Amino acid sequence: MAQPSFLPALSQSDVVQAAQLIQQAYSPASVQVSSDTQRRLQQELFDIQKRYEAWGLVIPFLNHEDFNVQFFGAHTIQVKIARDWESFPPDNAPFLRDLLLELTSHAVLSGKNKVILRKLFVAIASLALKLATGAPSGWPDWIVSTVEFLSSRGASTGSLLEFLAIVAEEVESADLVGPRKVQMKQTLLDASPLVIRAVTGTISRPRSQIIAREIEPALKCLQAWMSILRANDITPVIPLLILLLNPPTPDVELDSDVFTLASDTLQEIMSRSPLAAGAGTATLTEPLLLWLDVWGTRILQSSTSSEELDGVSHSLCKLITTLGDHSNTYFASNITSHKLVPGSQQTRSHLIQGFLRLLLSYTGLPGYYGVDEEESEMTLGFWYLLQESLWSVDFDEDGEGEDVSSSPLVVEEQNRMAVVHAVYAELVKVLRRKVAWPPPNVLASWTKDQAEKFQVYRRDVGDTLINAYYILRNDMLAYYLNDIQERLPHSAARNEWEEVEATLHCIMSIQEALPLEDNPLVSQLFGSEVLGHLPRAGQDRVRRTMLGLIGTYASWFTTQNKATSPTSTPSLLMNAISYVVAALPEPSLCLPAANSLRDLCDANRVALAPHIGAFGELHAGLTGIPDTEKSKVLQSIASVIQALPPEEEIPPILAIVNPVVEKLGQALGSSSQLPDEARSVMILQLQTLTGISKGLTRTTDSLLVLEESSPADEAEAESLQRARNDYRMEKLREDIFNAIRSTIEVWSGDASVSDALSDLIRSVTSLPSDTTLLSLPAGPLLGLICIACKRHLTAVWLSLAKSLVIQLDPPPSVVAPTIKPSPNVEAIAILSDALPVVLQTSLSMLSQHGALESNPDIVQAFFGCLDSVAKHFITIFYNLPPGALDALMQCAVRSLSMQERYSLVATCTFLETLVRRTASSDELGDTSTVLVHQYGRPILRAVLCGFAGVAPRSATANLIELLSTIASKYPAETREWMNEILFADDFVESRATPEAKRAFVKAVIGSRSPKKTREAAQQFALIARGLEGTSFGYASVTM
């Protein structure tokens, strides 16, 4: 084909040179080229493609004999249309359209590779998106006209279907909004009859003449158009698709390829078409149920004896699970309906119950999931949807119009629930069998991935069992308990515990659904009938599961009202404690045992307090427990200690804490000789102290206690204070504080030690209502954090400083006056010393070149800390040493141009709080004008530059909040500054016109509504970034 006059004409030598570049970069010989050379060649090709002259390469490249060169020619025209359209002369657009159609038809008829054809089809769609939208349209009815053109040139139906599929994909992903989107949608709808005719013409031939290769383009095209077609377009195709599920002739096996294509298309109809979400029961659901009644079980049974049908069975499982998702409401409503399905002699109930049996068969496929089969997991989600639908729909009753209290209706409801109960009872049995681990000799042959996949499957089954519990309730628990008791003698005799472990796993999975009340069946589980017969040595898997079950049910033991004493018959709780403690010395079980003990003690503090002596013995016997789990055991003991009267807490606290503090001191002393060993010991002791401190914290959330303090509460508070004043506790708290200080002085630069210290400090500081015997004051600890910051500034220390600032200004009690009192003088004095240190240390680091960008975590934590100071102690900012506030504001303004979102958000939040609190503070008086007069304009300029493209789009909402606060507090200054900044010569380059800028200023200043300000700023940001009128820009606003 000759080069048209409207495209650049290149010399033959230029074309040959460009083609050689492609061949060097992509020919098989290029695998021997170095990666640097490969990148250089690709960059050269990219640079060539960006030039306007690249339009002239399209035809010579498509006529080239080398496939790679041909592909690059097709790729070039697609890229030029999509990316460089603005540089193409508009008057030549019709000529380009005609040329592209000619090139495509020639490529189709000459048998070009499908990859090249796809590129040309995409190019046609891209060009249509440029020309067809608008008034008037530059290419009306482009889909139909293109198909007619290609067809007239001899293109096959398969090629036309592939083109139509690409059209749907490209238009669906196009960046269209408003009228352009509506116009393009109408064009697609106008072409829908053409699509349906092409598809039905391909798949409506006699079944014996259909082969997968020929119908694949048609069904792929139908799938691509699924969300575009109307329901009445799709309905006539459904019977044809169901026919494709049958074998070609009765005497041959199913065609796996044809079956899968038809099945996938039916799934798309049920998922993405107008017939999704339960629509089309008469045209889709019931015809599929009739087909499944004939073929479903037959395919499942055949697949177990024929590997060739494995693919058919897998696709069938996907089909029925999709049908279940689509029609679960229909199933729930008609599960006992005696109405006949039109065109058959089968009732709805017969078909639905047959479907449920088939689905249950797939749920319970023989073998182990992930090893022997891959289908059972697909069915699990259906049982949740069915359970939800059963409670939310009215079942279909043949006797319409009868009184709702009539006997037939009640009987029908009872029948329905009986069927539902039977279905879920069978499901529970099937899933219990499926979650059982194989015997050790079989498990040894599994790969690690297979074992992990099976473990995930067991967790997913647990979620499904919760839905079953909502149907079966205590019947489900009774089945499990009976199952365990029947299996216990056999398991104990043969030492085979896999089946018992599976049942325990099921019971553990449904705990969250059980009401928190006494239940005889659960009592039976933790009594001598079950727990008393489980192994206490060896058999790690079943014991690990039982340990997890005990921890999961820890809160249930609070329903046991029987008071116990150390001398009474062991309670169910003590039975569980005994079982857990027995596993602590075993390395393989220590972790789950320690976790379970912690949960038990935390939930049952009061009930376990009389047994504190037994926990003392446990503490004395900790030598056999790995150090890594001792912290959890000590946290458990501390939980029990917390339930004692404060004065009685002192001896056991000293007993468990002093050894930890001593070990921490010894580790600090050996830091210089054995640093690695000392570091490990220190981290472990810090974690142990953290666990003890958490255990001593009461479980009731003080913020939820709204009642006025009672005399009993006051007496308890006085008792606690007396215990804290005990010289032994004062000495212990002093030792802990000194240990923290020494650790910071030596190890503040170590990340792991810092994390452990942070957790400890958070656990030993509290609001006044949550004070424990170990609680330390926030002020001195904040001084230690300042030391740590000076030694090694990290986000950990700054984040911790933020928490301690909040502790210095605790919230007033609920019954306190409505006006919040001013922060106390002591807190202000503490922070007046600490804040300059934090500022000087942080700003010294962040002022270095590139420091803001290299340390986003520190920037985020720094401004987060300052935000807390601004909220609680605003006056401190205006009493800083000379130059400190100026340095801070300069850093904040620079931070508003950061590309890392979280740092920018933290900066915006701090500045918004600072401006708002400064403007509204009565304590500052005339000083409040300092901020706006000195720093208002630079802050506003950074915000406006952020809208224009300097800041990431994801932070636009935060910049808007800052703008809204400034504009509402200082409207006159804002009007003046916005006009100066937006129209200044040095304002950041953007797509915003002077008219758009003036409209933005007018909208912000003329509105007193934050919503109006937000809308104006969002619109300006879209205009400035060139995103106005695009779905991409619109999505960024609505996210």
Side-chain angles (χ1 to χ4, degrees):
M1 182 180 294
Q3 189 82 351
S5 60
F6 68 90
L7 291 182
L10 301 180
S11 66
Q12 184 64 24
S13 61
D14 289 342
V15 173
V16 171
Q17 184 178 358
Q20 288 175 345
L21 273 177
I22 298 169
Q23 291 171 320
Q24 291 177 42
Y26 296 105
S27 66
S30 66
V31 296
Q32 301 177 1
V33 176
S34 68
S35 57
D36 291 339
T37 303
Q38 185 87 356
R39 280 194 295 270
R40 179 182 58 77
L41 291 171
Q42 291 172 350
Q43 184 61 46
E44 288 183 27
L45 289 172
F46 180 70
D47 293 339
I48 290 173
Q49 202 174 56
K50 287 196 300 183
R51 295 166 57 188
Y52 179 76
E53 289 77 12
W55 289 102
L57 293 173
V58 174
I59 294 177
F61 279 5
L62 284 173
N63 291 332
H64 201 280
E65 59 184 12
D66 189 294
F67 163 76
N68 291 310
V69 178
Q70 293 174 14
F71 174 81
F72 198 81
H75 179 62
T76 297
I77 193 169
Q78 184 239 319
V79 167
K80 298 299 285 185
I81 292 171
R83 300 179 189 171
D84 300 332
W85 184 247
E86 292 181 1
S87 65
F88 191 81
D91 294 342
N92 291 336
F95 303 118
L96 178 64
R97 177 197 62 199
D98 297 341
L99 173 64
L100 181 56
L101 290 175
E102 288 289 349
L103 291 172
T104 304
S105 65
H106 180 267
V108 171
L109 295 178
S110 61
K112 289 271 195 296
N113 189 287
K114 284 191 175 184
V115 177
I116 296 172
L117 294 181
R118 180 177 180 84
K119 276 290 177 185
L120 292 172
F121 291 156
V122 172
I124 292 175
S126 298
L127 183 60
L129 290 169
K130 304 293 184 185
L131 299 180
T133 56
S137 172
W139 196 355
D141 300 324
W142 64 276
I143 301 174
V144 175
S145 64
T146 300
V147 170
E148 290 176 348
F149 175 84
L150 294 176
S151 179
S152 68
R153 296 301 179 93
S156 65
T157 302
S159 297
L160 298 177
L161 287 164
E162 289 173 357
F163 166 71
L164 289 169
I166 287 173
V167 164
E169 294 167 0
E170 291 299 308
V171 173
E172 189 173 12
S173 62
D175 189 20
L176 298 173
V177 294
R180 296 176 65 214
K181 186 173 185 179
V182 173
Q183 187 178 9
M184 188 57 68
K185 183 177 181 181
Q186 187 58 50
T187 303
L188 291 170
L189 289 175
D190 293 341
S192 295
L194 174 68
V195 174
I196 294 299
R197 285 197 303 271
V199 171
T200 54
T202 303
I203 67 174
S204 59
R205 298 197 303 273
R207 179 65 185 85
S208 59
Q209 299 177 15
I210 289 178
I211 58 177
R213 184 182 67 258
E214 295 177 355
I215 66 167
E216 183 175 5
L219 296 187
K220 293 293 185 183
C221 176
L222 183 59
Q223 291 174 32
W225 280 74
M226 200 62 72
S227 60
I228 301 166
L229 299 171
R230 305 177 185 91
N232 57 359
D233 292 325
I234 298 171
T235 300
V237 184
I238 294 173
L240 299 175
L241 293 171
I242 294 177
L243 283 175
L244 293 177
L245 298 175
N246 297 328
T249 59
D251 56 340
V252 300
E253 286 189 344
L254 291 163
D255 186 325
S256 177
D257 294 333
V258 172
F259 185 96
T260 300
L261 285 168
S263 172
D264 288 347
T265 308
L266 287 165
Q267 292 167 46
E268 289 289 296
I269 292 175
M270 290 185 281
S271 304
R272 295 178 53 238
S273 79
L275 296 179
T281 55
T283 56
L284 180 59
T285 302
E286 290 175 348
L288 276 173
L289 287 176
L290 287 169
W291 181 86
L292 287 169
D293 188 51
V294 175
W295 286 99
T297 303
R298 190 185 306 181
I299 292 174
L300 176 61
Q301 292 174 348
S302 299
S303 65
T304 60
S305 58
S306 173
E307 292 185 4
E308 295 180 1
L309 291 181
D310 281 349
V312 173
S313 181
H314 184 81
S315 183
L316 174 63
C317 184
K318 291 170 62 178
L319 179 63
I320 62 174
T321 54
T322 306
L323 177 60
D325 293 346
H326 172 274
S327 305
N328 57 83
T329 301
Y330 172 85
F331 297 151
S333 302
N334 296 279
I335 194 169
T336 54
S337 172
H338 299 300
K339 285 185 177 180
L340 292 176
V341 172
S344 77
Q345 296 301 311
Q346 304 295 348
T347 64
R348 293 177 176 177
S349 61
H350 169 81
L351 295 178
I352 292 171
Q353 292 174 30
F355 170 84
L356 294 175
R357 281 191 293 271
L358 178 62
L359 199 68
L360 271 171
S361 297
Y362 272 102
T363 304
L365 281 173
Y368 298 96
Y369 174 75
V371 179
D372 303 310
E373 52 89 9
E374 299 286 342
E375 288 77 28
S376 59
E377 184 271 341
M378 285 191 264
T379 68
L380 297 179
F382 167 78
W383 302 108
Y384 158 72
L385 295 174
L386 180 62
Q387 181 260 319
E388 290 286 309
S389 296
L390 286 167
W391 302 141
S392 60
V393 301
D394 296 324
F395 67 91
D396 184 71
E397 166 57 31
D398 296 339
E400 296 179 3
E402 294 186 9
D403 184 4
V404 294
S405 61
S406 63
S407 179
L409 188 62
V410 173
V411 171
E412 183 68 18
E413 172 68 4
Q414 291 173 345
N415 291 339
R416 183 178 77 115
M417 290 313 300
V419 172
V420 170
H421 193 284
V423 169
Y424 275 90
E426 184 62 26
L427 173 67
V428 166
K429 295 177 184 178
V430 165
L431 291 179
R432 193 219 63 79
R433 172 178 60 81
K434 286 291 291 182
V435 299
W437 286 95
N441 61 320
V442 176
L443 183 59
S445 66
W446 286 12
T447 65
K448 181 181 179 181
D449 288 344
Q450 287 174 329
E452 290 177 353
K453 191 172 184 179
F454 186 71
Q455 188 73 277
V456 172
Y457 169 75
R458 279 166 54 100
R459 289 198 295 270
D460 293 341
V461 166
D463 295 336
T464 302
L465 290 174
I466 290 175
N467 304 118
Y469 176 81
Y470 290 136
I471 301 289
L472 302 175
R473 302 290 177 176
N474 269 356
D475 289 346
M476 185 172 174
L477 269 179
Y479 163 73
Y480 285 142
L481 266 296
N482 291 334
D483 180 83
I484 289 179
Q485 290 177 315
E486 290 175 2
R487 295 181 187 276
L488 277 173
H490 172 84
S491 298
R494 297 196 176 188
N495 214 21
E496 297 173 353
W497 293 93
E498 287 81 13
E499 298 295 334
V500 170
E501 188 275 339
T503 308
L504 292 174
H505 170 79
C506 294
I507 297 175
M508 178 170 62
S509 300
I510 62 172
Q511 180 275 331
E512 67 179 72
L514 267 68
L516 188 61
E517 61 188 23
D518 190 14
N519 188 320
L521 292 169
V522 182
S523 300
Q524 189 178 346
L525 173 67
F526 294 115
S528 57
E529 299 96 327
V530 177
L531 184 60
H533 285 81
L534 291 179
R536 298 204 173 202
Q539 300 301 327
D540 287 355
R541 188 180 299 282
V542 68
R543 293 173 66 198
R544 185 181 297 111
T545 300
M546 190 62 197
L547 290 169
L549 188 154
I550 290 172
T552 303
Y553 278 79
S555 59
W556 175 85
F557 291 97
T558 61
T559 65
Q560 303 302 290
N561 296 322
K562 180 182 176 183
T564 63
S565 67
T567 58
S568 64
T569 303
S571 64
L572 297 178
L573 175 58
M574 292 311 295
N575 284 345
I577 292 283
S578 174
Y579 185 87
V580 170
V581 170
L584 283 172
E586 300 188 31
S588 60
L589 298 176
C590 186
L591 175 59
N595 289 336
S596 182
L597 182 64
R598 179 189 58 196
D599 295 339
L600 279 172
C601 293
D602 187 53
N604 300 274
R605 299 178 179 213
V606 175
L608 291 172
H611 302 274
I612 190 63
F615 284 93
E617 296 175 6
L618 173 61
H619 177 250
L622 284 180
T623 53
I625 298 174
D627 288 344
T628 52
E629 308 308 328
K630 280 183 181 177
S631 63
K632 295 173 185 174
V633 178
L634 291 177
Q635 181 176 343
S636 305
I637 297 173
S639 298
V640 179
I641 293 173
Q642 187 272 328
L644 298 172
E647 289 87 350
E648 296 181 24
E649 292 183 36
I650 296 175
I653 287 179
L654 293 172
I656 64 174
V657 176
N658 272 328
V660 180
V661 176
E662 290 174 5
K663 286 183 180 179
L664 182 56
Q666 293 169 2
L668 284 167
S670 62
S671 295
S672 57
Q673 295 88 10
L674 300 168
D676 292 338
E677 182 179 336
R679 173 181 175 277
S680 300
V681 173
M682 268 192 303
I683 292 173
L684 189 59
Q685 303 313 312
L686 292 171
Q687 291 172 342
T688 303
L689 282 176
T690 301
I692 294 172
S693 182
K694 289 179 179 178
L696 291 173
T697 304
R698 63 183 182 179
T699 54
T700 305
D701 190 341
S702 61
L703 296 179
L704 301 179
V705 180
L706 303 181
E707 304 86 13
E708 186 174 351
S709 297
S710 65
D713 294 332
E714 294 175 359
E716 182 182 351
E718 292 175 359
S719 176
L720 175 64
Q721 191 56 48
R722 285 196 302 272
R724 282 181 57 84
N725 292 339
D726 185 287
Y727 74 95
R728 294 171 295 176
M729 293 312 302
E730 290 182 339
K731 174 67 165 54
L732 181 59
R733 290 197 299 273
E734 182 182 354
D735 290 344
I736 294 174
F737 180 84
N738 289 335
I740 293 174
R741 181 178 58 192
S742 299
T743 306
I744 285 176
E745 290 174 348
V746 179
W747 290 93
S748 60
D750 185 278
S752 298
V753 176
S754 298
D755 289 338
L757 273 170
S758 175
D759 292 340
L760 174 58
I761 292 174
R762 291 178 192 277
S763 70
V764 297
T765 53
S766 66
L767 298 174
S769 55
D770 289 329
T771 300
T772 71
L773 296 187
L774 292 186
S775 295
L776 299 177
L781 289 172
L782 184 58
L784 296 184
I785 299 307
C786 291
I787 295 174
C789 287
K790 287 194 291 186
R791 290 177 178 273
H792 189 83
L793 182 66
T794 66
V796 171
W797 302 128
L798 292 170
S799 176
L800 192 53
K802 173 183 177 178
S803 299
L804 295 175
V805 168
I806 297 172
Q807 299 285 354
L808 289 173
D809 186 27
S813 63
V814 177
V815 295
T818 55
I819 300 177
K820 183 179 177 180
S822 300
N824 63 66
V825 176
E826 181 184 358
I828 293 177
I830 292 170
L831 204 54
S832 295
D833 293 335
L835 184 58
V837 176
V838 173
L839 287 178
Q840 192 276 330
T841 305
S842 302
L843 294 176
S844 295
M845 174 188 177
L846 296 177
S847 63
Q848 299 173 20
H849 178 70
L852 285 173
E853 293 76 15
S854 303
N855 300 280
D857 57 331
I858 292 179
V859 176
Q860 181 185 357
F862 174 60
F863 285 111
C865 175
L866 296 182
D867 181 61
S868 289
V869 177
K871 286 176 179 175
H872 296 270
F873 304 95
I874 185 63
T875 59
I876 288 182
F877 284 101
Y878 301 95
N879 293 304
L880 289 169
L885 181 60
D886 187 61
L888 168 60
M889 298 311 297
Q890 289 181 24
C891 179
V893 170
R894 285 190 291 114
S895 297
L896 288 176
S897 63
M898 290 187 65
Q899 295 302 301
E900 200 280 324
R901 179 177 182 269
Y902 295 108
S903 304
L904 179 52
V905 168
T907 307
C908 288
T909 303
F910 160 65
L911 288 174
E912 191 275 332
T913 302
L914 184 66
V915 172
R916 178 171 44 80
R917 292 280 290 119
T918 297
S920 60
S921 175
D922 296 331
E923 303 171 66
L924 291 174
D926 295 340
T927 309
S928 63
T929 60
V930 172
L931 180 70
V932 67
H933 288 159
Q934 293 189 19
Y935 310 110
R937 191 181 188 282
I939 293 174
L940 191 59
R941 185 182 189 281
V943 171
L944 296 176
C945 289
F947 290 148
V950 172
R953 285 175 32 256
S954 57
T956 300
N958 304 94
L959 292 170
I960 290 173
E961 291 300 319
L962 179 53
L963 170 65
S964 181
T965 300
I966 296 173
S968 64
K969 299 298 182 183
Y970 309 102
E973 292 89 343
T974 301
R975 179 190 298 108
E976 177 185 350
W977 293 336
M978 286 186 70
N979 280 304
E980 292 177 0
I981 295 166
L982 289 173
F983 292 97
D985 293 337
D986 63 346
F987 186 68
V988 64
E989 184 178 348
S990 72
R991 301 284 186 89
T993 63
E995 292 77 12
K997 294 178 180 179
R998 279 191 286 271
F1000 178 36
V1001 175
K1002 181 179 179 181
V1004 171
I1005 301 304
S1007 171
R1008 296 187 178 275
S1009 164
K1011 180 180 178 182
K1012 295 291 186 183
T1013 302
R1014 184 181 308 112
E1015 291 173 352
Q1018 288 172 340
Q1019 182 65 18
F1020 177 75
L1022 292 179
I1023 294 172
R1025 296 170 187 266
L1027 296 175
E1028 185 186 24
T1030 67
S1031 59
F1032 182 67
Y1034 177 74
S1036 70
V1037 172
T1038 56
M1039 281 171 55

